[in-house]
Amino acid sequence: MTRAKRMLVDVRPLRVGEFRRLWLAGIVTGLGAQLTAVVVPLQIYEVSGSSADVGLAGLVGLVPMAAAALWGGALADLRDRRRVLLVTTIGIGGTSLLLWAQAWANLRSVGVLFVLVAVQQALFGANSTVGRAVTPRLVSPELLPAANALQSTVLLAAGIAGPLLAGGLLPVVGSRTLYLADAIAVCATVWAVWRLPDLPPYDGGERPKGAVPRQIGDGIRLVMSRQVLLLVYVADFAALSLGLPTALFPQLAAETFRPSDIGVLYAAVSAGGVLAGLFSGAFTRVGRHGVAVGVSVGVWGVAVAGFGLSGTLVPAVAWLVLAGGALLALGVFRKTVLQTAVPDGMRGRLQGIDTVVAVGGPRVGNLLHGTVGAALGVPWTVTGGGVLTVAAALLLLVLFPGFRRAGGRGGACRGPRRPPHRSRRGGPLGHDVAHPAAAPRDPGAARRLPVRGVGALRRSAGTARPPRRTPR
């Protein structure tokens, strides 16, 4: 492979049929979701005539999303992940149908819209958590960074193309048709999830009812006891809270640039992420994932500081493009660490906590930037946030050697490679997917039926071999 080809996006995960179907379906569903994301605020404003209600809609879905992410992460470790993913995906499509129905019936009720938004955000929180826990069961560990890069690139590209598509279609077909289009688009992911093999817990058993809160607590205790996991969350939260100045974009557009430039500022970050995704082969083969997380946070901080010092639009957009690329790399390596540093039986709960951090960080950042910006001024606030982000990255890399070693040779994030298994439909899979009767144990789940707690996980990590497979 030439050096130029190695810099392009690594498409090897697409050779795994199950992952490829999910990825392609995600393109269709992602565009459909953006249609609803554009239409809901417009309909709320049309009904109430209040921008405050539009802003409240964002808060209405926050708590249900965070709670459902934790709950869905626990269910991903207790139940068949394919079934949980299928139920939540169908639920998202059903909510889009209800949004279409209320628009068709012309209810003109902000309360109904708030309820539907809260339900859909809760389903989305659980669905995205389970989906990230499914990926390590489909592709081998060395391909996880590339798989995460492919998925993140699709989401960012949909965030650019979806609003543009909605803006072009809305005057032609109306809001009702866009809701219906979103519901139909979800069918692509329903089909892809239906084609997945069964993905039960490795012990093959069902946990007692009422155990979900206890399992969530086990996940939180594991994070607090494992330095690498805790520091990954700290790094991500620092980047999103200290260095995400989107709350100040309207004021910057009005005072420093032009009011019409606000769309360019928002799009520049996503465009940088898409560009980095297209050339993600340059960094997805990096071995030391902890160092990669720290460097990504540092580059993000430098780019934000440079953006704060920019007085004209062109350099400001260039810095935001760099920031978007660093944010994509941060997401890729953060997900990879969380997917590979623990046994499979804990992945769902860690992804649930990750969803809460990813949702809460930008909200805290908006509050901090808005408050400090009003007191110190926008340029000082943006640049200062970038500098603090760089300082946080340096402290993590300098003070915590275990964080630097994460993902390296012999590090906490690298698991043993196993040969491909066969799905229940007879197709080859990249990693960890087998018929329930012959499910191999996870590298960190030896002699464990079921996960009893953090201590049991640490005592049992890395001590077993996969059971011998019997011919079919």
Side-chain angles (χ1 to χ4, degrees), residues 3-61:
R3 180 168 299 186
K5 288 184 178 180
R6 287 179 63 88
M7 292 189 65
L8 296 176
V9 58
D10 187 352
V11 297
R12 288 179 297 166
L14 297 180
R15 298 172 186 171
V16 181
E18 283 74 10
F19 178 83
R20 182 175 63 251
R21 283 192 289 268
L22 280 176
W23 184 78
L24 291 173
I27 297 175
V28 179
T29 302
L31 287 173
Q34 289 299 321
L35 300 181
T36 294
V38 170
V39 175
V40 166
L42 289 176
Q43 189 179 6
I44 291 175
Y45 185 78
E46 179 186 347
V47 172
S48 68
S50 171
S51 295
D53 287 340
V54 176
L56 183 60
L59 295 177
V60 163

Side-chain angles (χ1 to χ4, degrees), residues 243-245 249 252 256-257 264-273 275-276 296-328 382-383 386-387 390:
L244 189 63
F249 280 1
L252 280 168
T256 305
F257 309 116
V264 177
L265 298 179
Y266 280 111
V269 178
S270 297
L275 188 63
S296 299
V297 173
V299 174
W300 163 262
V302 169
V304 170
F307 167 69
L309 296 173
S310 301
T312 57
L313 184 63
V314 173
V317 168
W319 283 116
L320 288 178
V321 168
L322 177 61
L327 195 61
L328 178 127
V382 176
T383 304
V387 171
V390 174

Side-chain angles (χ1 to χ4, degrees), residues 211-235:
V212 170
R214 178 175 61 83
Q215 297 297 328
I216 294 174
D218 286 346
I220 295 173
R221 286 190 289 272
L222 176 63
V223 170
M224 300 303 295
S225 66
R226 295 280 294 274
Q227 186 184 85
V228 169
L229 302 177
L230 183 61
L231 293 180
V232 167
Y233 288 125
V234 169

Side-chain angles (χ1 to χ4, degrees), residues 308-365:
L309 296 173
S310 301
T312 57
L313 184 63
V314 173
V317 168
W319 283 116
L320 288 178
V321 168
L322 177 61
L327 195 61
L328 178 127
L330 171 60
V332 166
F333 290 112
R334 183 192 78 245
K335 294 173 186 176
T336 302
V337 171
L338 298 178
Q339 289 168 340
T340 58
V342 296
D344 182 79
M346 296 295 293
R347 283 174 180 155
R349 278 162 281 185
L350 260 65
Q351 295 302 324
I353 299 172
D354 181 59
T355 300
V356 174
V357 173
V359 170
R363 267 70 173 186
V364 173

Side-chain angles (χ1 to χ4, degrees), residues 26 29-30 33-34 37 61-62 64-70 72-73 84-85 87-93 95-96 116-132 155 182 186 189 335 351-352 355-356 358-359 363:
T29 302
Q34 289 299 321
L62 176 59
M65 177 190 288
L70 293 174
V84 178
L85 194 62
V87 169
T88 53
T89 303
I90 293 174
I92 291 173
T95 311
S96 296
L116 292 177
V117 166
V119 172
Q120 192 168 59
Q121 289 300 297
L123 290 167
F124 173 78
N127 183 269
S128 59
T129 297
V130 179
R132 290 199 297 270
L155 291 176
D182 180 21
V186 173
T189 298
K335 294 173 186 176
Q351 295 302 324
T355 300
V356 174
V359 170
R363 267 70 173 186

